[in-house]
Amino acid sequence: MALSITPPSLRCSYARTDTTSRSRAADRPGYLRTGKRNVNIAFNKEVQKSLSWRSKGTATRARVTMMPVGVPSVLYENDFLDIWDVLNKERIVFIGDEIDEEISNKLVATLLYLDGLDSSTDLFFFINCHGGDVSSSLAIYDTMQFLKSSVVTRCIGYAYDIPAFILAAGKRGSRAALPHTRIILRSPVGEADGKVDDVLNETKELTKTRDHLYNELAKHTGQPVEKIFQDLTEGKGFNTQEAIEYGLIDRIARPRRLFNTIHQQEKTAPGLG
């Protein structure tokens, strides 16, 4: 016996407002039994749009192209603020991207503002990035030396090239890195092309910048300039212990140990009976 199957209509009309129409609408996909639109359906559709498939003839696992997580807002002094604004209010500044002119200007402006609010309290500089423009980075370095507030540097993750130089320029005795931090120092890199005279001029400028950086690094680390020239000609990597020995940081920032005082508190706490 052959069955005749009618394909469902691609368009649904809910123009009727009688009770029968509403009850049918409530049974359709996308509606709760209450007759209200199910927002979870629309949300799931948006999630599906964010999934992409590797198309090489065969289906593979779905891949999420973007995490649906934004910058959190937290309660701070009876108001909800962006987490980065809260950290700035606590005198904590992050370098988390490759340093360019825009990032440098923002960091310098933040440092100057926080120093103007209170110059008697330390500023905390957290570093987790690689490389950047030398001139923009030197603007941050000069600002650190200009401020009345001391700048305490912390490295989390890694500091490659010029950010490692900024790390070493922090307050002596307070420079620290987490246990698995990686630090790498190398000579400045040029990208000159074109006429020979242009290349030669940039080479001269890079040489002056390199000599200045190495001399400043010698002041912050206590290493002889000659040794720094020798070590950084081809680049040098440091783990946290090696960074301490070289003078780039002063200590390893380890998590605080938690002591189990629950039982002691239970003994001293007043009973309910």
Side-chain angles (χ1 to χ4, degrees), residues 86-269:
V86 174
L87 291 174
N88 287 343
K89 286 180 176 294
E90 294 296 327
R91 304 178 70 80
I92 297 175
V93 182
F94 266 89
I95 300 181
D97 294 312
E98 186 173 339
I99 301 173
D100 56 16
E101 184 176 354
E102 180 181 359
I103 291 176
S104 174
N105 288 333
K106 290 180 179 179
L107 290 174
V108 167
T110 302
L111 292 173
L112 291 174
Y113 174 73
L114 294 176
D115 184 63
L117 287 179
D118 182 7
S119 60
S120 61
T121 308
D122 290 345
L123 288 165
F124 289 84
F125 223 150
F126 281 78
I127 300 171
N128 182 30
C129 66
H130 62 88
D133 180 70
V134 175
S135 298
S136 299
S137 302
L138 284 176
I140 299 173
Y141 171 76
D142 287 338
T143 303
M144 292 170 60
Q145 312 306 311
F146 171 78
L147 299 176
K148 295 180 180 179
S149 305
S150 297
V151 180
V152 176
T153 51
R154 297 279 189 272
C155 187
I156 52 176
Y158 58 92
Y160 294 174
D161 301 332
I162 195 69
F165 172 76
I166 294 177
L167 171 66
K171 179 181 178 181
R172 292 294 294 271
S174 299
R175 303 167 300 175
L178 294 183
H180 296 95
T181 298
R182 188 68 178 169
I183 301 171
I184 294 179
L185 282 167
R186 290 176 294 193
S187 298
V189 178
E191 299 180 355
D193 57 6
K195 297 186 298 183
V196 175
D197 291 339
D198 295 336
V199 175
L200 290 176
N201 289 334
E202 181 168 350
T203 302
K204 292 179 182 179
E205 290 301 318
L206 279 174
T207 302
K208 292 179 182 178
T209 302
R210 181 203 62 185
D211 295 347
H212 173 69
L213 288 174
Y214 286 3
N215 279 280
E216 292 297 307
L217 191 60
K219 295 178 183 178
H220 294 298
T221 60
Q223 296 289 343
V225 178
E226 295 78 12
K227 179 175 176 56
I228 292 179
F229 268 88
Q230 181 180 357
D231 291 341
L232 303 189
T233 299
E234 297 181 357
K236 185 175 179 63
F238 305 85
N239 58 32
T240 48
Q241 186 58 43
E242 293 168 343
I244 292 176
E245 296 171 358
Y246 206 83
L248 296 173
I249 60 176
D250 301 299
R251 64 184 180 87
I252 301 174
R254 300 187 183 276
R256 297 177 181 178
R257 294 184 178 181
L258 300 177
F259 296 95
N260 187 8
T261 59
I262 297 177
H263 297 295
Q264 183 65 28
Q265 292 175 356
E266 289 178 349
K267 291 179 181 179
T268 57

Side-chain angles (χ1 to χ4, degrees), residues 47-90:
V47 172
Q48 291 302 320
K49 289 181 181 180
S50 67
L51 300 177
S52 63
W53 295 79
R54 299 185 182 94
S55 56
K56 290 186 178 181
T58 59
T60 58
R61 290 183 59 189
R63 174 169 61 91
V64 179
T65 58
M66 181 183 70
M67 285 293 292
V69 179
V71 178
S73 296
V74 297
L75 183 62
Y76 183 86
E77 295 181 353
N78 300 322
D79 194 9
F80 280 94
L81 300 177
D82 186 296
I83 185 65
W84 300 112
D85 292 336
V86 174
L87 291 174
N88 287 343
K89 286 180 176 294
E90 294 296 327

